[in-house]
Amino acid sequence: MKIVAFLQNAYFKDPNCESAKLYVSDPEFRRKALAQSMTGSRLLSALGEDLFNLIHWDNATDEVGDERRSSLPAKPSHILNVVNRLRPYVILTFGRTAKDGVVFASQYFNLNQSLAIFCMSHPSAMGLTKREMGTWRPMIEAHLRLVNSRHYPQ
């Protein structure tokens, strides 16, 4: 079952450093780097390590910010490329930038299967409660059970 999640954007003090380049180009490096961040630790806590590791993690842009509060706009062409290449059954968005980018890009998705898009608050958003984060995993699992019961190809 393919699940893709979009966050806003990555940041590195030097966006041209080797780690930043790997983050953009290597999904496994990106997942491991995310897991070591504050955002990643909150996602791990909310989703569990098993579900976290099943997800293809990406950002709403392939550009990298240069500070923690960097807020780069979504790049619909990047989102579209990721979705059309991976052909997920579930897309998760975390934060407004990712949500807006996915919603805009979704009109151009080239998919022949059911697709669920779940839009959640960013894990580091002010005011986000553990209770709200506690709903994420059950919601995703319920949809995956539904998709599996319909015998969609994996």
Side-chain angles (χ1 to χ4, degrees), residues 11-12 17 29 33 55 61 74 85 88 95 105 112 119 133 139 144 150 154:
Y11 80 91
F12 287 83
C17 72
F29 181 88
I55 294 170
T61 180
R85 185 179 80 246
N112 295 324
C119 302
M133 290 175 71
M139 178 178 56
L144 294 178
R150 293 181 181 168
Q154 300 293 316

XYZ file of all heavy atoms in Angstrom, residues 11-12 17 29 33 55 61 74 85 88 95 105 112 119 133 139 144 150 154:
150
model
N 14.882 22.482 5.791
C 15.811 23.606 5.935
C 17.147 23.074 6.409
O 17.237 22.099 7.149
C 15.268 24.670 6.893
C 15.457 24.334 8.350
C 16.595 24.753 9.039
C 14.518 23.590 9.041
C 16.781 24.424 10.374
C 14.697 23.262 10.370
C 15.824 23.686 11.032
O 16.011 23.355 12.340
N 18.179 23.699 5.930
C 19.555 23.440 6.340
C 20.233 24.795 6.435
O 19.938 25.690 5.633
C 20.287 22.565 5.310
C 19.841 21.128 5.308
C 18.716 20.728 4.606
C 20.548 20.170 6.021
C 18.297 19.411 4.609
C 20.133 18.842 6.036
C 19.007 18.466 5.326
N 24.600 22.440 0.934
C 25.503 21.424 1.477
C 25.101 20.036 0.969
O 24.001 19.827 0.455
C 25.518 21.461 3.008
S 24.006 20.839 3.784
N 17.380 8.635 3.006
C 18.098 9.647 3.790
C 17.095 10.648 4.370
O 17.180 11.027 5.536
C 19.126 10.379 2.911
C 19.919 11.416 3.647
C 21.091 11.071 4.306
C 19.496 12.740 3.688
C 21.833 12.035 5.003
C 20.221 13.701 4.384
C 21.395 13.338 5.042
N 16.569 11.403 8.263
C 16.814 12.766 8.756
C 15.560 13.328 9.413
O 15.631 13.957 10.477
C 17.276 13.667 7.606
N 5.726 5.076 5.064
C 5.349 6.282 4.325
C 6.533 6.806 3.510
O 7.666 6.829 3.980
C 4.857 7.361 5.313
C 3.558 6.889 5.979
C 4.662 8.699 4.608
C 3.100 7.756 7.135
N 7.831 21.187 -1.766
C 8.754 21.784 -2.718
C 10.061 21.004 -2.679
O 10.373 20.384 -1.664
C 9.017 23.276 -2.410
O 9.918 23.817 -3.373
C 9.589 23.472 -1.018
N 4.680 26.104 -1.849
C 4.555 24.778 -2.467
C 4.893 24.892 -3.947
O 4.692 25.935 -4.575
C 3.140 24.247 -2.285
N 4.553 9.568 -10.136
C 5.588 8.526 -10.152
C 5.260 7.398 -9.177
O 5.378 6.227 -9.502
C 6.952 9.147 -9.815
C 8.110 8.160 -9.923
C 9.456 8.794 -9.607
N 9.621 8.881 -8.173
C 9.693 10.000 -7.450
N 9.661 11.140 -7.984
N 9.830 9.984 -6.157
N 0.235 6.754 -5.242
C -0.229 6.320 -3.916
C -1.748 6.153 -3.856
O -2.470 6.674 -4.689
C 0.203 7.479 -3.015
C 0.129 8.673 -3.912
C 0.596 8.169 -5.267
N 0.281 20.546 7.460
C 0.435 21.995 7.389
C -0.255 22.588 6.171
O -0.561 21.900 5.187
N -2.429 20.804 -6.964
C -1.849 19.822 -7.893
C -2.807 18.679 -8.190
O -2.716 18.059 -9.257
C -0.541 19.274 -7.323
N -5.422 6.122 -11.838
C -6.576 5.307 -12.214
C -7.113 4.531 -11.018
O -7.676 3.470 -11.183
C -6.187 4.327 -13.323
C -5.825 5.037 -14.598
O -6.420 6.053 -14.924
N -4.851 4.514 -15.311
N -5.673 15.809 5.291
C -4.954 17.043 5.596
C -4.928 17.243 7.104
O -5.979 17.364 7.740
C -5.627 18.225 4.917
S -5.732 18.045 3.113
N -3.485 14.618 17.399
C -2.476 13.760 16.774
C -2.822 12.284 16.963
O -2.508 11.456 16.113
C -1.092 14.063 17.354
C -0.570 15.426 16.922
S 0.995 15.862 17.706
C 2.101 14.742 16.885
N -7.280 6.918 11.737
C -7.916 7.369 10.507
C -7.225 6.754 9.282
O -7.879 6.242 8.373
C -7.854 8.899 10.438
C -8.428 9.505 9.192
S -8.377 11.318 9.212
C -6.646 11.652 9.490
N -6.876 2.337 5.072
C -6.095 1.240 4.494
C -6.886 -0.070 4.543
O -6.852 -0.856 3.592
C -4.758 1.085 5.220
C -3.783 2.251 5.055
C -2.519 2.005 5.869
C -3.461 2.516 3.603
N -11.238 -3.887 -0.664
C -11.679 -3.776 -2.063
C -10.719 -4.455 -3.027
O -10.893 -4.404 -4.213
C -11.837 -2.298 -2.440
C -12.954 -1.629 -1.695
C -13.076 -0.203 -2.119
N -14.143 0.461 -1.392
C -14.335 1.764 -1.384
N -13.546 2.544 -2.079
N -15.304 2.284 -0.691
N -1.619 -3.687 -5.046
C -0.679 -2.959 -4.205
C 0.312 -2.230 -5.055
O 1.149 -2.541 -5.661
C 0.017 -3.908 -3.226
C -0.962 -4.598 -2.321
C -1.650 -3.661 -1.361
O -1.018 -2.804 -0.767
N -2.936 -3.776 -1.194
